[in-house]
Amino acid sequence: MDTELIRGARVSHERASVDQIEAAADADARGVVESLLDSEGVTEAFAIRTCNRVEAYVVAGSVEAARGALAPVGADVDDGVVVEMDHEESLRHLMRVAAGLESLVLGEDQILGQFKRAIEVAHEAGGIGPTLETGLTKAVHVGERARTETGINDGVTSIGSAAVRLAERETDLDGETALVVGAGEMGKLAAQALADAAVATVIVANRTLERAEHVVEAVDVDGRAVSLDAVDAALGEADVVVTATGYTEYLIDADDVEAAGETLVVDLAQPRDVNPAAAGVGGVAVRDIDDLESVTAETRATREAAAEEVEAMIHEEFDRLVEAYKRRQADEAISTMYEAAERIKAREVDTAVSQLEAAGDLTDEQRAAVE
């Protein structure tokens, strides 16, 4: 039954650059889900957006309706960047995403939390029905199994820590001052990694000062929290900057770093926090997600054995999931058949009773006998 099938589309780091992912990410996950649900023939919808991926999934009345709804995903990027997925490809890919096999940092823990939050958002938007619920629940289960039963998340486990590893290759962080812009999960992980790298001071800037203070309290070095309005001044103090906010506009422009001197900036945000033009200012080096490839390649090499275990796990769970969908489809088909038979029976009984009553009154016993 077409209405039971999922179709998906994705733009991710496997084929796309930071610029292309940014071009594809024209709305937040809830906005994407609501837009998909407004599409003709779509009954369910799910979307996930992170710093290195934009993905959308629908359950629709036909393949054509699903493709039409998903057409805006990656409409503004080059051909060959968008990957379309049928029902089984979508199910397998969702499990791979939750398990961390599709992450820039193989096996990162952060993606599972992002995945769960995306499910909550889709639920709130009314996008999750029985078809997506089955697939997404299985994906979360696989993601949790991967992290408890294998070593897929040993070592560098986040993009934040990978960013600090990259910074260590380019400059000596020992005794330096670091600025982290954004106090979300990624910013917190970056701040902790910077503290582990022996920086002397961590400044955390955030729209909500209280959240920035919580991050400062969690790191074992001197630090202070500032508002986003104070970022310009903090740039003058910082030797290394990591940005990771959810803002849709640039927070740092070329003018903001003119007086910064020698500064390494690693922009982890999607859309980007730092205007690429800032890299043209003397002494300022700007790195982004694309530049993490060398660090993440090392992580991938050390986790190959664990990745193979997770692949086997996904294969096993995928077979179970496909069987579950087939059983449900069969149950629905049988239920539909019984409902149709019941309607036919009721119609024929009404016809027979009407004909018999035309010849004379029926007793209750005779009516029961006809039924």
Side-chain angles (χ1 to χ4, degrees):
M1 298 172 62
D2 285 341
T3 53
E4 292 299 314
L5 300 182
I6 300 169
R7 289 196 72 87
R10 70 181 190 264
V11 176
S12 68
H13 67 92
E14 64 180 329
R15 295 190 182 187
S17 65
V18 170
D19 289 336
Q20 291 169 323
I21 295 172
E22 188 171 334
D26 60 351
D28 60 19
R30 180 168 186 135
V32 173
V33 171
E34 291 174 344
S35 177
L36 291 170
L37 289 174
D38 286 339
S39 301
E40 185 176 354
V42 171
T43 57
E44 301 179 36
F46 171 71
I48 181 168
R49 171 181 164 180
T50 71
C51 61
N52 55 12
R53 72 181 61 256
V54 175
E55 302 187 358
Y57 300 84
V58 296
V59 177
S62 67
V63 172
E64 291 73 19
R67 283 179 171 166
L70 294 169
V73 179
D76 297 326
V77 300
D78 299 335
D79 291 341
V81 172
V82 182
V83 178
E84 296 183 5
M85 298 170 283
D86 63 17
H87 181 71
E88 293 194 357
E89 288 173 315
S90 295
L91 295 175
R92 190 180 291 276
H93 182 76
L94 285 167
M95 285 190 280
R96 289 179 59 82
V97 170
L101 293 186
E102 294 291 332
S103 294
L104 189 62
V105 178
L106 183 67
E108 63 155 328
D109 288 332
Q110 191 177 8
I111 185 61
L112 185 56
Q114 292 170 326
F115 196 91
K116 291 177 179 178
R117 284 193 294 275
I119 294 174
E120 291 175 4
V121 168
H123 265 296
E124 292 168 359
I128 305 297
T131 301
L132 277 172
E133 185 80 59
T134 301
L136 293 171
T137 300
K138 176 65 75 173
V140 170
H141 173 66
V142 170
E144 292 172 343
R145 277 193 65 193
R147 288 163 178 82
T148 57
E149 298 178 23
T150 77
I152 194 68
N153 57 344
D154 291 344
V156 177
T157 58
S158 74
I159 291 177
S161 54
V164 175
R165 182 73 62 84
L166 174 66
E168 286 182 298
R169 292 182 176 181
E170 300 199 18
T171 187
D172 184 4
L173 298 181
D174 191 6
E176 300 291 277
T177 296
L179 168 63
V180 176
V181 184
E185 186 175 0
M186 193 180 300
K188 180 179 179 181
L189 292 169
Q192 292 172 335
L194 285 162
D196 293 340
V199 299
T201 305
V202 174
I203 305 169
V204 180
N206 195 58
R207 179 180 59 183
T208 306
L209 193 60
E210 184 179 6
R211 292 193 66 181
E213 290 170 346
H214 285 318
V215 174
V216 170
E217 292 169 2
V219 297
D220 193 22
V221 294
D222 290 337
R224 72 177 189 274
V226 300
S227 67
L228 290 180
D229 293 338
V231 167
D232 289 357
L235 285 168
E237 300 179 55
D239 304 289
V240 60
V241 180
V242 178
T243 70
T245 79
Y247 275 69
T248 57
E249 299 178 354
Y250 293 134
L251 285 176
I252 299 175
D253 286 305
D255 294 345
D256 300 323
V257 296
E258 284 185 350
E262 290 193 10
T263 307
L264 173 64
V265 181
V266 184
D267 186 357
L268 302 180
Q270 186 57 256
R272 285 178 288 193
D273 285 329
V274 183
N275 190 327
V281 178
V284 177
V286 179
R287 305 288 181 260
D288 57 28
I289 295 292
D290 288 343
D291 297 306
L292 294 181
E293 188 63 38
S294 59
V295 176
T296 58
E298 290 181 3
T299 304
R300 188 170 296 273
T302 60
R303 297 181 183 173
E304 285 184 357
E308 290 178 3
E309 292 181 57
V310 177
E311 291 280 12
M313 182 185 298
I314 289 175
H315 183 72
E316 168 192 326
E317 294 283 6
F318 175 77
D319 288 343
R320 293 175 182 170
L321 181 58
V322 170
E323 285 302 313
Y325 275 109
K326 289 179 179 177
R327 284 196 302 273
R328 201 179 80 204
Q329 285 181 317
D331 289 343
E332 290 177 355
I334 292 170
S335 176
T336 299
M337 181 179 68
Y338 274 116
E339 289 173 2
E342 197 63 33
R343 287 194 297 271
I344 293 170
K345 185 201 80 169
R347 184 175 67 244
E348 294 303 317
V349 167
D350 288 344
T351 299
V353 168
S354 297
Q355 292 174 346
L356 291 171
E357 285 182 335
D361 291 338
L362 288 178
T363 66
D364 290 340
E365 290 79 6
Q366 289 172 326
R367 184 183 296 274
V370 170
E371 291 184 2

